[in-house]
Amino acid sequence: RALQRRASGNARRDLMVFRLQVIFCLLFVSALLAGNVAIAHEIRPAYLQLTEVGQENPNYHILWKQPVVQNKRLPIEPVFSDECELSDLSPPEVTSVAILYNWQANCDLSETSIHVTGLMVNHTDVLVRVETMSDGVENYVLRPSNPTLDLTKGGAPALDYFIIGVDHLVFGVDHVLFVIGLFLFIQAPIALIKTITAFTVSHSITLALSVLGLVKLDQGPIELVIALSILFLARELVQEESKRSRLTLGRPWVMAFLFGLLHGLGFAGALADIGLPEDDLWLSLLLFNLGIEAGQIAVIVVLAVMAWTLSQMNWKQHFNKLAAWGMGSVAAFWTIDRALLLF
């Protein structure tokens, strides 16, 4: 009877653990699908350029590039001082990644502040370039935590580009999922570091090539293939080792490098079309990539702590399997959704 009671207690405990794992997996998938999955890898910065065209009677030409995500205008807007009247210089121009507005302001914008609405809700940034006849060119970055630009002060520190890179990693959900998949797939620390580094290097290559205008591809197919890359990795995770692809078994860093090229294009294409200031190009690219690397390291540290905790509770193996199924479910949703948008 004692053995029966013990066995019954163990069975109830195992059933409870299984239910908790299933609930966690369902919550994981639901949070991703109900959250910001529509902008999973499309954290596209807006671009605002202010050019002074008159010194005695100050007035400015304004170029506003408002991102288009999933064929919808991103709901962010620049708000200028009440004393500034804006007039259209030309009709709005619509491209695949942005709507371009050209305005003229009949005031001295260098003595005012500019606020951009909607940054916190949409998790995006605004790159600002100000060209004045007296001070030359200054670059700024507006972020969700600081959406107001006071033009009476100096330019934004270059560190902002580093923070944009961290944001790109953290809020680019499909990028995070791919890093999680690599962590679950590779157990050896040295092999994991090599694979993540290969992913970052390839991401940086396509980012630089795209921003420099040497590579330019339509974003629709790229976003579709990115979703397929996560679906492929999730499938590999749920397969028995003997049935896995040679690409993932032999040299996983090669697989990470190849898929990293695609993930880099997912952001870089939009970034190139929105625009980056040429005089700050290399510094912004360097800091952006360092920010991505820092974000990836932070994600891996959190995953390592979680893995150690789960291993102490004997949940790690079940968690890895459920996490892989969760990744695959979300990636399948993205694949279908992006294919429908494309075709």
Side-chain angles (χ1 to χ4, degrees):
R1 287 181 187 146
L3 290 175
Q4 287 178 347
R5 285 196 298 268
R6 184 179 300 174
S8 177
N10 290 337
R12 286 195 299 269
R13 185 189 63 185
D14 292 341
L15 180 60
M16 182 184 69
V17 169
F18 175 75
R19 287 175 176 173
L20 288 174
Q21 292 169 343
V22 172
I23 291 172
F24 175 83
C25 183
L26 292 175
L27 289 174
F28 174 74
V29 174
S30 300
L32 288 175
L33 293 180
N36 291 334
V37 293
I39 56 170
H41 199 90
E42 300 190 51
I43 303 174
R44 299 181 176 178
Y47 182 70
L48 180 64
Q49 179 173 305
L50 312 175
T51 305
E52 186 180 14
V53 294
Q55 201 165 20
E56 294 183 359
N57 297 311
N59 63 83
Y60 284 76
H61 285 171
I62 302 173
L63 172 62
W64 167 243
K65 293 185 179 182
Q66 187 174 26
V68 172
V69 177
Q70 298 283 334
N71 295 330
K72 296 180 180 179
R73 179 181 63 88
L74 204 63
I76 58 176
E77 301 284 350
V79 179
F80 298 91
S81 173
D82 292 338
E83 63 191 41
C84 294
E85 295 184 5
L86 302 184
S87 58
D88 293 326
L89 291 174
S90 62
E93 179 184 350
V94 180
T95 70
S96 60
V97 296
I99 302 176
L100 279 62
Y101 297 91
N102 284 278
W103 301 315
Q104 181 168 348
N106 63 346
C107 63
D108 187 359
L109 291 175
S110 64
E111 300 297 326
T112 64
S113 296
I114 300 172
H115 178 79
V116 180
T117 62
L119 294 189
M120 181 65 72
V121 175
N122 295 282
H123 301 295
T124 193
D125 306 293
V126 180
L127 309 178
V128 184
R129 179 182 177 90
V130 181
E131 301 179 8
T132 61
M133 295 181 178
S134 57
D135 298 327
V137 177
E138 290 187 341
N139 298 307
Y140 305 82
V141 179
L142 296 183
R143 306 181 60 253
S145 60
N146 185 25
T148 301
L149 171 61
D150 186 355
L151 289 171
T152 62
K153 298 181 179 179
L159 183 62
D160 279 349
Y161 291 109
F162 175 85
I163 299 174
I164 291 176
V166 176
D167 284 349
H168 167 58
L169 187 283
V170 173
F171 293 107
V173 183
D174 52 2
H175 199 132
V176 172
L177 280 184
F178 195 82
V179 173
I180 292 174
L182 293 176
F183 179 86
L184 296 177
F185 191 82
I186 302 171
Q187 302 298 321
I190 300 300
L192 178 62
I193 293 173
K194 183 190 297 185
T195 303
I196 293 295
T197 301
F199 184 59
T200 302
V201 169
S202 61
H203 190 282
S204 304
I205 290 173
T206 47
L207 173 65
L209 291 177
S210 183
V211 170
L212 292 173
L214 300 177
V215 174
K216 187 175 182 180
L217 299 175
D218 187 19
Q219 289 296 290
I222 293 296
E223 296 295 337
L224 175 58
V225 176
I226 287 173
L228 285 172
S229 72
I230 302 170
L231 188 59
F232 167 80
L233 187 55
R235 177 189 176 278
E236 292 291 289
L237 284 169
V238 299
Q239 289 282 356
E240 296 179 6
E241 188 170 342
S242 60
K243 297 181 180 179
R244 290 177 177 174
S245 167
R246 289 185 179 181
L247 184 62
T248 54
L249 281 177
R251 296 180 179 178
W253 68 269
V254 175
M255 176 267 296
F257 184 88
L258 294 175
F259 285 143
L261 296 174
L262 297 171
H263 281 251
L265 286 173
F267 183 79
L271 184 62
D273 285 328
I274 292 295
L276 272 180
E278 293 183 1
D279 55 337
D280 209 15
L281 182 62
W282 290 109
L283 177 61
S284 63
L285 283 176
L286 173 62
L287 291 172
F288 178 81
N289 282 298
L290 290 176
I292 289 178
E293 185 70 17
Q296 288 179 162
I297 292 173
V299 170
I300 290 172
V301 169
V302 172
L303 290 172
V305 173
M306 288 181 59
W308 181 85
T309 304
L310 291 169
S311 65
Q312 300 301 308
M313 303 169 65
N314 295 322
W315 287 13
K316 184 178 179 181
Q317 184 177 359
H318 298 293
F319 172 81
N320 289 359
K321 185 75 71 172
L322 290 172
W325 279 102
M327 285 174 53
S329 300
V330 174
F333 171 82
W334 284 336
T335 301
I336 296 171
D337 182 57
R338 295 174 185 183
L340 291 175
L341 283 173
L342 183 62
F343 296 110

